[in-house]
Amino acid sequence: MTDYNKMLDQLKAGEIASITIQKEDFLDFRSILIGRPDFKHFRGVAFHHGTTIYTYTEDPSK
């Protein structure tokens, strides 16, 4: 199983630029993401066929 918390921590620390999540992994990833207190700092951009790319932002989304 993929360690999404570790990936999100790496994204937050600037160790990686983005995380690409495929459609079939989205629900598992989302359940981890929304459980984090800093989840509003992660911005996802959806593309065709269900691929979503997440980046970290200093300012939380509203």
Side-chain angles (χ1 to χ4, degrees):
M1 184 170 181
T2 305
D3 188 351
Y4 293 124
N5 263 320
K6 182 178 179 182
M7 293 172 69
L8 290 166
D9 287 339
Q10 290 174 323
L11 184 58
K12 182 178 179 178
E15 297 172 15
I16 57 176
S18 65
I19 300 172
T20 301
I21 302 297
Q22 300 301 324
K23 178 181 179 179
E24 56 272 8
D25 300 322
F26 178 76
L27 292 177
D28 291 335
F29 176 80
R30 184 179 179 278
S31 68
I32 300 299
L33 177 64
I34 64 172
R36 293 176 59 104
D38 59 352
F39 80 96
K40 289 190 175 188
H41 287 271
F42 296 94
R43 178 173 295 145
V45 178
F47 294 91
H48 291 287
H49 307 293
T51 301
T52 305
I53 298 178
Y54 285 88
T55 55
Y56 184 80
T57 62
E58 291 296 324
D59 297 323
S61 53
K62 297 176 182 182

